[in-house]
Amino acid sequence: KVGDLKTLAQESLAKNFLQLVTSEGRKLNDPSEPLQAAGLQDGDNVTAVVGQAKLAADQQAFALWCSGGDGVVTWGNPVYSGDSSRVQDQLKSVRQVQATDG
């Protein structure tokens, strides 16, 4: 599966924020997609693009993510969105997080 390949790449490269791209330029975004369904065959090349982590914060909570990554990590006061565990499955391919003070 794509997710297994991504995990192997993350461990091998010691980088957490990776985007896998086929030699044809297709982004491999669905971790549950089988490699063959993604169009990959034995011997194909895949490029791992390392993304830069970004942080959004207010006085009570923090969010860490990478644009186009697989999720958002949050911590801090749950009342101020420091706990995103109930919506974690919706936090895929996030491009931006905005902190507010209100």
Side-chain angles (χ1 to χ4, degrees), residues 31-46:
S32 64
E33 184 176 29
L35 294 175
Q36 288 179 330
L40 293 175
Q41 298 179 14
D42 190 29
D44 282 354
N45 291 317
V46 175

Side-chain angles (χ1 to χ4, degrees), residues 1-81:
K1 292 183 181 177
V2 169
D4 297 333
L5 180 61
K6 185 171 183 176
T7 299
L8 288 171
Q10 289 172 326
E11 291 172 358
S12 296
L13 300 172
K15 301 288 182 184
N16 288 329
F17 296 106
L18 295 180
Q19 172 71 64
L20 299 180
V21 182
T22 68
S23 57
E24 290 80 30
R26 180 174 179 244
K27 293 180 182 180
L28 302 175
N29 293 326
D30 182 358
S32 64
E33 184 176 29
L35 294 175
Q36 288 179 330
L40 293 175
Q41 298 179 14
D42 190 29
D44 282 354
N45 291 317
V46 175
T47 301
V49 180
V50 179
Q52 182 176 2
K54 298 174 183 164
L55 179 72
D58 66 12
Q59 295 178 2
Q60 302 275 340
F62 306 86
L64 181 69
W65 82 100
C66 184
S67 181
D70 288 342
V72 176
V73 177
T74 59
W75 68 98
N77 188 331
V79 174
Y80 294 93
S81 302

